[in-house]
Amino acid sequence: MTEVPLIWQLAKLLVSIGLVFGLGAVAVRVSPRVAGLLAGYPLGTALALFFIGLEISPVFATQSAVHTLAGFTATLALGGGYLLCGRQDGLKGVFTGCAGGLAAWLVAGGVLSQFEFTRVSGTLVTLVAIVVFTWLYRRVPEARVNASGVFSWSALAFRAGLATLMIFIITTLAHVVPAAWAGTLAAFPVTMLPFLLILHASYGAAPAATVIKHYPMGLGSLLSYTLCVSLTYETWGLAAGTFAGFAVATLWLLGWLRVQQWWANRRLAT
């Protein structure tokens, strides 16, 4: 295992906490719409792949990013496992949901790690998984709550702390696992999962199920970001590749919001 300089560890700590807490604070101060937009940003994946490239090499990060494209399927499996096992309200439901979700993620990740993926095949696997999980979730009821507590300062601090801890775990494990597993780890929902836990603990299983139901359709931003950095890290470098990835992810999110607005207007007109 490569020894990571202390300065990089401190940078990882500050950047991870700063991004999650800072962007979340913007959502708290502005609007739930902005919160939803930022929730679709590839923060965890971006941080994991960037620091993997910084601590190991851009080549290894590129190889990992290719597997991350397929690794989002394991993230979808985590949501499915959480949904099946976390049907109870309260902390018991949170714990059983976490256990089921992590078990499903490990099984799916283990299967995915047995295959060599390309950018095309990795993307296609996750696109198929998005269609399958969207169909499976079609009968999950919608639950609406005024979840202001999810965006409170204390909840935001918890999310930032837990996300940072997971980033450290992922980037540390990347030193001792193959690129396939490093890529799968980078796809782990380090910002979405803490949000899900707070929502479930505060408002019950139904709102958490609603988040899981809509999560597959929000993966477009993560896929576009990861595909972009897999193409740019080696040639453009980590900084430029990351900037390009965020630019592509932002364009996808804005386009997706326009499509959603158009569809909503069309339904109202009919």
Side-chain angles (χ1 to χ4, degrees):
M1 177 176 173
T2 307
E3 185 176 351
V4 181
L6 178 60
I7 188 66
W8 288 3
Q9 296 283 22
L10 291 174
K12 188 193 307 182
L13 177 66
L14 294 174
V15 171
S16 299
I17 292 177
L19 273 179
V20 178
F21 195 85
L23 291 177
V26 172
V28 172
R29 289 180 175 273
V30 180
S31 70
R33 179 180 176 84
V34 175
L37 180 65
L38 296 179
Y41 242 48
L43 295 180
T45 297
L47 288 169
L49 289 175
F50 178 83
F51 281 108
I52 287 172
L54 186 65
E55 295 175 7
I56 302 176
S57 73
V59 174
F60 187 84
T62 298
Q63 296 169 348
S64 300
V66 172
H67 287 277
T68 300
L69 292 167
F72 291 124
T73 299
T75 301
L76 290 170
L78 185 151
Y82 193 106
L83 185 65
L84 286 174
C85 300
R87 297 182 179 182
Q88 291 182 282
D89 294 337
L91 291 179
K92 183 177 181 180
V94 173
F95 289 133
T96 57
C98 277
L102 291 174
W105 180 83
L106 284 170
V107 171
V111 172
L112 292 170
S113 68
Q114 303 303 310
F115 298 92
E116 287 294 328
F117 289 103
T118 64
R119 293 178 179 88
V120 174
S121 61
T123 302
L124 287 176
V125 165
T126 293
L127 288 176
V128 170
I130 289 172
V131 173
V132 170
F133 277 94
T134 300
W135 182 81
L136 290 174
Y137 295 158
R138 69 193 186 283
R139 294 180 180 174
V140 175
E142 299 279 343
R144 297 183 181 275
V145 296
N146 181 20
S148 58
V150 178
F151 302 108
S152 67
W153 294 109
S154 59
L156 188 56
F158 172 79
R159 290 176 66 191
L162 187 54
T164 301
L165 175 62
M166 287 190 283
I167 289 293
F168 268 81
I169 293 173
I170 289 169
T171 53
T172 299
L173 288 175
H175 289 264
V176 296
V177 298
W181 263 111
T184 302
L185 287 166
F188 194 85
V190 300
T191 54
M192 190 273 283
L193 184 59
F195 170 81
L196 192 65
L197 299 182
I198 298 170
L199 188 67
H200 191 165
S202 301
Y203 298 96
T210 301
V211 171
I212 293 171
K213 175 181 181 177
H214 292 286
Y215 184 71
M217 295 306 296
L219 278 177
S221 176
L222 286 162
L223 279 171
S224 59
Y225 176 89
T226 306
L227 186 59
C228 181
V229 299
S230 75
L231 293 167
T232 57
Y233 265 0
E234 285 191 64
T235 54
W236 294 9
L238 295 176
T242 299
F243 179 82
F246 275 121
V248 171
T250 301
L251 290 174
W252 191 95
L253 277 174
L254 293 175
W256 178 241
L257 288 174
R258 291 292 297 272
V259 170
Q260 287 181 312
Q261 186 62 49
W262 171 81
W263 181 250
N265 292 336
R266 182 180 178 184
R267 292 184 65 182
L268 288 174
T270 56

